[in-house]
Amino acid sequence: MTAALEVTNLHVNIGENRILKGINLRVNQGEIHALMGPNGSGKSTLAYSLAGHPAYEPTAGQATFDGHDLLEMEADERSRAGLFLAFQYPVAVPGVTVAKFLRQAVNSRRQAINPEDAGMPIPEFRRLLREKMDILGIDQKFAGRYLNEGFSGGEKKRAEILQMAMLEPKIAIMDETDSGLDIDALRIVAEGAVRLHEMNHMGVLVITHYQRILNYVQPDRVHIMLDGRIVESGGAELALHLEENGYDWLREKYGAAEAV
Amino acid sequence: MADQVLERDQTENEMLAGVNDDYATKYGFADAEDYVFKAEKGLTEDVIRDMSARKGEPQWMLDIRLKAYQHFLERPMPDWGADLSGIDFSNIYYYIKPSARQEDNWEDVPSYIKDTFDKLGIPQAEQKFLSGVAAQYESEVVYHNIKRELEDKGVIFLGMDDGLAQYPDLVREYFTTIIPHNDNKFAALNTAVWSGGSFIYVPPGVHIEMPLQAYFRINAKNVGQFERTLIIVDEGAYVHYVEGCTAPIYSSDSLHSAVVEIIVKKGGRCRYTTIQNWSNNVYNLVTKRAVAHANATMEWVDGNLGSKVTMKYPAVYLMGEGAHGEILSIAFAGHGQHQDAGGKVVHMAPRTSSRIISKSISKSGGRASYRGLLKVAEGAHDCKSNVVCDALLLDERSRSDTYPYIEINEQDVTIGHEASVSKVGEEQVFYLMSRGIPEDEANAMIVNGFIEPLVKELPMEYAIEMNRLIQLQMEGSIG
């Protein structure tokens, strides 16, 4: 049974501002979707809303994940159900090491299933963490550093993918994971995601401005957002078309205001 | 690196196994009182004379006690800090002696005292890395065990009463030289009625690798605990002394007023670590001061949880050229608590350096204040000092204040001062939750992370205890 992320007519406000104005989207486990669109079109808002950020208020519509009503779940429940968000700007948590954080995250999953669970045994966790770090070309010292504190842009993104690899989600949303990465870092990060897709049948929603990450993470479907709605959906060729022509033709076609 | 982190986590997890147990059963146990001698409530000159006579003290000590008592009577209550109006000096026992003689063999310790120690994990702790235990139960040291190697090195580690009995000249030479009998009202009270505490002397060049530990604990209702500690670190010597406190929960107020005097001679180094977790009705008013002579180092590591009111500002006087002082302070103020903590450093000599790092957490309407003094005397040129105080507020009802007093009488100095107040960020909590970590655990992680830079300075067992205490505080349903 494969999971699906299904969004129907989703409206979301931040405070008084209407940001999402009726999103329809379905991502099945095992599929790769790309979500593109100009700044301010609501891509990140969609990502945060689906991950359960408390400041994002759904006002209409539905979102389900693997049959659960996503909008009724807390952020931690959504994560444990198998939904993952790779943050564009992961926050620092001073004093909490990457290892400690990941162990807590792994154990939270186990304990949600069995409250008596004593946590993953240390040797097993250590092996798992080493294995994932090796695959992503991350130095072992990384585990002892404080989460995202003083990380370079590339390190932050790599840490996000490491978390994804450790938690093995059914569907991952990658919010501009490519921004701020040089070409080598981009390749490593993208290959990490593709490996999870291939090995675990992970579904991916790649939010990006650029074609280049899509050269590695090749999408089955491409969606374009404009002013809080998905206005075009198509195959991989749609991303190439955008790369060549920009967004102006869409603005003309849909009469949207200039991007903020 | 990763392995080390994980191993510590594992131990932590094992130790945390019982964390959800009820706090009152875990820490609030109270044994039936069965004491050899219990003085009457309240303080008079007769109580002091009687106490001193029972201890068989020299006349000079009685004289100091009586002089201090006079000063205590004359000195007004301090009005510049926390609210102390709830203290009723007439409703406190000033002297209790729980067993007739000092025990030096664990088997001989009375079983009710042993039960308490068992609950505190003392024997296990000793097995693990103690080099000596001086566990204070009530007002006198009942169990005191020094390993032979310490004795061979000429180290003295005794209860203060025994220290006075066995080394009267040494005690007399230093007693009240760092904190005089008239220093402040509560130091005067302590000097008048002190009982127990530790006496440590480390001879020149001797390094004690394992921390020396004492476990202090108030048990009887309305017991005032007035331990007195005197540590002398001779030239080029090193000692790390660790003091931990838990107290049972009682409904009426208790007073804890300790005095700690430390002398670190030329090139010596002393680290004094305290983790305390008094029950929420204890007034904890402590005077701690050290002098560091040329090229000596004094470090205070001070963790304050629990109590109703804490006023405590460990101080270092840098008396000789090249001396270094360090104060690391953690305070956690929960519901109904006021932690008024901080540190004082006085640079009296050139090329001295100091660092104060204070971290406070306020929760459920608690109040944490940083109160610090940084003073550079005239002529103390080329001094360096850095003060950092960070406060973390867990909710809107809680409070944090900073009172940094800085007095610089010399041009040629480098002083840094940073203060920050932050709230547990919604974005941090969301980030941790987005990885499947429940909200309360996410909050506890952020708080533990906030104090981690100080916790990692603690011996591992205390680091674990500190994290455990934080977790208990975070789970506290009050408020």
Side-chain angles (χ1 to χ4, degrees), chain A residues 52-53 76 79-80 84-85 87 92 94-97 100-101 104 108-109 122 126 130 143 146 148 160 163, chain B residues 2-3 5-7 9-10 12-13 427-428 430-438 441 445 449 452 456:
Chain A
H53 193 293
D76 56 321
S79 166
R80 293 195 299 268
F84 184 90
L85 170 62
F87 284 69
V96 177
T97 62
K100 186 180 180 118
F101 161 64
Q104 185 93 39
S108 293
R109 284 175 155 61
I122 287 273
R126 187 182 293 151
R130 282 216 178 116
Y146 295 151
N148 293 321
E160 290 295 293
Q163 292 169 37
Chain B
D3 289 2
V5 169
L6 291 173
E7 260 145 34
D9 284 358
Q10 183 177 39
E12 222 167 88
N13 271 24
E427 297 308 318
Q428 283 178 328
F430 172 61
Y431 186 64
L432 296 181
M433 286 179 74
S434 80
R435 300 311 183 231
I437 299 170
E441 283 176 35
M445 271 187 111
E452 166 71 13
K456 73 180 183 194

Side-chain angles (χ1 to χ4, degrees), chain B residues 305-367:
Chain B
L305 293 94
S307 84
K308 180 175 185 178
V309 170
T310 288
M311 290 175 74
K312 183 157 59 153
Y313 326 98
V316 187
Y317 281 67
L318 302 165
M319 306 301 288
E321 213 169 314
H324 177 70
E326 196 139 323
I327 300 166
L328 310 177
S329 162
I330 306 169
F332 193 120
H335 179 73
Q337 299 178 332
H338 186 180
Q339 304 281 3
D340 199 83
K344 301 179 188 176
V345 176
V346 180
H347 293 256
M348 297 296 291
R351 281 179 277 281
T352 49
S353 57
S354 65
R355 188 164 73 120
I356 299 177
I357 300 177
S358 157
K359 299 228 172 208
S360 73
I361 299 144
S362 313
K363 177 181 178 266
S364 307
R367 180 178 174 194

Side-chain angles (χ1 to χ4, degrees), chain B residues 68 93 139 190 318 326 333 339 343 378 395 410 418 443 472:
Chain B
Y93 290 105
S139 307
N190 173 281
L318 302 165
E326 196 139 323
Q339 304 281 3
E378 199 180 332
D395 52 57
E410 174 62 46
E418 300 163 39
N443 275 307
L472 283 167

Side-chain angles (χ1 to χ4, degrees), chain B residues 441-455:
Chain B
E441 283 176 35
N443 275 307
M445 271 187 111
I446 292 166
V447 170
N448 274 320
F450 174 74
I451 59 168
E452 166 71 13
L454 297 195
V455 169

